[in-house]
Amino acid sequence: MAITQDVENGNNMIKGDELTQSLIKKEDEREDRSSGGSLWVVFLSTFVAVCGSFEFGICVGYSSPTQAGIRKDLDLSLSEYSFFGSILTIGAMLGAVTSGRITDFLGRKGAMGISAVVCIVGWLSVYLSNDAWPLDIGRFFTGYGIGVYSYVVPIFIAEIAPKNLRGGLTTINQLMICTGASTAFIIGTVVTWRTLALTGLIPCVVLLLGLFFVPESPRWLAKIGSEKEFKASLQKLRGKDADISKEAAEIQDYIETLTHIPNASILDLFQRKYAHSVIVGVGLLVFQQFGGINGIGFYASETFVSAGFSGKIGTIAMACVQVPITGVGAILMDKCGRRPLLLVAASGTFLGCFITGIAFFLKDHELLREWVPLLALTGLLVYIGSFSLGMGSVPWVLMSEIFPINVKGAAGSLVTLVHWFGSWAVSLAFNFLMRWSSSGTLFIFSAVCASTVLFVAKVVPETKGRTLEEIQASMNTF
């Protein structure tokens, strides 16, 4: 009424366009406030999910600082300990095979809950072990759990996050994996292997409790036809005052187009329309694993010792490098894009492996022996830092983005199976390859890393700033 009077009287008159802009500004501020409030739900959901990633890291990092203690206490040979280290990946392969179906059937929250319970059983078995077989069984169970986590966590985060935050939030998955591995590296240098096993229980318990307070993935709810729950979940994630009609309509339209397409099996993935997605998803994880990360990560302490450097100091240095650089990668993910980060990271892993290979070459030929420990330390830190920057996280972010929801279950099983098969092969063979030729092993890894650069440059698309539906429509066409 006051505005009307001013307009009628001609006093302090507000022009029409100024009034419109003022109203738009207020509306934008209201949306910003509601969006800001909603982000707390997204952040809480992400925190709960990445407890599984932290558990993943502890499982992977456990075998490095505990090698000497377990072999001494349980009288294990090198081959028996190599089997213990690698059986984690056998369990993870089984988890990978079943992850997609479990996630599609029970939902993203249900899959994470089952994984947490399985990991708890595994850690208790490791803690109580007095012989090799319960130790291996426990390691197998934890492997199964993280095999499921490796698929469901990035999928869940990608499906709940706003598109402008999706890359960064999904990268937190890798950040927490590195944090978990670093925690295992550091704590394992000062406590016994049994005590270290108990630390693996903590993230599982936190995750189980947290699942009661976070919403299910709205895209999964839409897929199974739970329209009321779908809208409630999306509203909770975007804020109670946010207008979700446009996003809900886009998701439902996309789901509707998929209702005429049956859920795919792994064999269905080899149709021409999915070829690009499969090549990118599988290819990146093949290069990631055969670049040597799990061989170097599982047995880092002994690798440093064989180069003439302190195993404890080396693993602590690795831990200190991993976490902050992974954080940098998370920040750069949505600023620089996926492809540039992958290109830089793959180039860095090549350089790190090559420097480390030169160090072992000099050692084998008794040349410049005083430089060998420093070169090995430098090379391994460059390798781990580069891997943490992008090669660890970006393939999983892309995997969560490039597959349509009707094939995500089958695609997730295939991709994570390939990942864990590569991890098993490298972690089992690493000690024996290093005995054959330390420098030759590192030069092979460096060649794989160099090939990764070419693969990314030629095949991998950029997905930054695009909705999942836009990405999938552009990639999966006849």
Side-chain angles (χ1 to χ4, degrees):
M1 183 177 291
I3 294 176
T4 303
Q5 290 175 347
D6 289 339
V7 172
E8 290 173 350
N9 297 330
N11 299 324
N12 301 319
M13 185 169 62
I14 300 176
K15 295 180 180 180
D17 59 341
E18 292 175 340
L19 177 59
T20 301
Q21 290 184 16
S22 176
L23 292 173
I24 291 173
K25 182 177 180 182
K26 289 180 179 179
E27 183 64 27
D28 288 343
E29 289 174 351
R30 188 181 301 114
E31 289 181 1
D32 289 342
R33 285 195 297 271
S34 67
S35 177
S38 73
L39 288 180
W40 287 107
V41 180
V42 174
F43 291 155
L44 175 63
S45 301
T46 301
F47 169 77
V48 171
V50 297
C51 286
S53 308
F54 187 80
E55 171 68 10
F56 185 143
I58 290 179
C59 292
V60 170
Y62 181 80
S63 60
S64 179
T66 57
Q67 182 168 348
I70 291 177
R71 288 189 62 187
K72 180 181 178 182
D73 291 350
L74 301 185
D75 194 26
L76 300 184
S77 65
L78 178 63
S79 61
E80 287 175 323
Y81 191 81
S82 293
F83 181 76
F84 165 73
S86 64
I87 200 173
L88 176 88
T89 58
I90 298 176
M93 277 191 276
L94 182 59
V97 170
T98 58
S99 61
R101 297 303 181 189
I102 291 174
T103 304
D104 282 349
F105 183 69
L106 297 178
R108 286 36 171 163
K109 288 173 60 178
M112 288 188 284
I114 287 177
S115 299
V117 172
V118 171
C119 284
I120 288 172
V121 173
W123 282 121
L124 291 176
S125 179
V126 171
Y127 175 75
L128 298 171
S129 296
N130 288 312
D131 201 354
W133 69 267
L135 189 76
D136 292 340
I137 289 174
R139 184 76 165 164
F140 177 84
F141 270 69
T142 58
Y144 181 87
I146 67 173
V148 177
Y149 280 139
S150 65
Y151 171 71
V152 69
V153 171
I155 289 293
F156 177 71
I157 296 173
E159 290 182 348
I160 66 170
K163 67 179 182 180
N164 62 310
L165 297 176
R166 189 177 64 241
L169 289 178
T170 310
T171 308
I172 295 176
N173 171 57
Q174 182 64 26
L175 175 62
M176 293 304 291
I177 291 174
C178 291
T179 303
S182 299
T183 300
F185 286 157
I186 294 171
I187 295 177
T189 61
V190 295
V191 302
T192 66
W193 59 273
R194 293 186 191 275
T195 303
L196 185 60
L198 294 179
T199 64
L201 300 175
I202 298 172
C204 297
V205 173
V206 173
L207 187 145
L208 283 174
L209 294 175
L211 288 176
F212 290 101
F213 302 99
V214 302
E216 179 57 272
S217 161
R219 284 178 168 85
W220 179 76
L221 291 170
K223 181 190 175 187
I224 65 171
S226 299
E227 184 174 351
K228 183 178 179 181
E229 291 82 358
F230 153 63
K231 290 184 177 178
S233 174
L234 188 60
Q235 192 75 68
K236 188 174 182 180
L237 288 164
R238 299 296 178 257
K240 64 179 181 179
D241 298 323
D243 182 4
I244 63 168
S245 57
K246 181 179 179 181
E247 185 176 4
E250 288 177 352
I251 293 172
Q252 287 180 315
D253 287 346
Y254 187 68
I255 296 295
E256 180 64 26
T257 64
L258 298 176
T259 57
H260 306 293
I261 307 173
N263 282 334
S265 67
I266 287 181
L267 292 178
D268 293 327
L269 291 173
F270 296 96
Q271 298 176 47
R272 183 181 176 184
K273 60 183 174 180
Y274 302 129
H276 192 191
S277 295
V278 171
I279 289 170
V280 171
V282 172
L284 281 175
L285 290 177
V286 166
F287 284 116
Q288 180 197 69
Q289 289 307 306
F290 286 94
I293 183 59
N294 278 315
I296 293 171
F298 279 23
Y299 310 110
S301 180
E302 291 301 310
T303 303
F304 280 116
V305 170
S306 64
F309 198 82
S310 168
K312 288 186 177 181
I313 294 176
T315 51
I316 291 173
M318 283 178 59
C320 293
V321 165
Q322 280 184 303
V323 177
I325 292 185
T326 304
V328 171
I331 294 170
L332 294 177
M333 179 73 67
D334 284 319
K335 292 183 179 295
C336 301
R338 282 59 157 162
R339 272 170 52 88
L341 210 55
L342 274 176
L343 290 169
V344 172
S347 300
T349 55
F350 159 73
L351 181 62
C353 272
F354 192 75
I355 292 172
T356 309
I358 290 174
F360 280 102
F361 179 84
L362 294 175
K363 180 191 173 187
D364 293 341
H365 292 81
E366 298 186 353
L367 299 171
L368 302 174
R369 299 190 65 175
E370 66 276 9
W371 287 92
V372 169
L374 180 59
L375 280 174
L377 175 66
T378 302
L380 288 174
L381 292 184
V382 168
Y383 175 84
I384 289 295
S386 300
F387 186 89
S388 301
L389 181 67
M391 276 306 299
S393 59
V394 178
W396 292 109
V397 172
L398 286 167
M399 184 272 291
S400 70
E401 294 176 327
I402 61 178
F403 291 109
I405 197 166
N406 67 303
V407 300
K408 270 190 177 179
S413 295
L414 174 64
V415 170
T416 50
L417 176 62
V418 169
H419 167 268
W420 287 112
F421 175 80
S423 178
W424 167 76
V426 172
S427 61
L428 180 63
F430 183 78
N431 283 326
F432 301 105
L433 286 171
M434 291 293 282
R435 281 190 170 184
W436 160 69
S437 173
S438 300
S439 58
T441 300
L442 273 300
F443 288 143
I444 290 171
F445 290 156
S446 67
V448 174
C449 295
S451 301
T452 307
V453 177
L454 297 176
F455 179 79
V456 172
K458 294 292 185 181
V459 178
V460 177
E462 181 56 73
T463 61
K464 183 187 76 169
R466 303 164 69 189
T467 67
L468 297 181
E469 289 72 26
E470 289 171 345
I471 296 164
Q472 292 151 15
S474 68
M475 293 192 68
N476 301 287
T477 56
F478 289 98

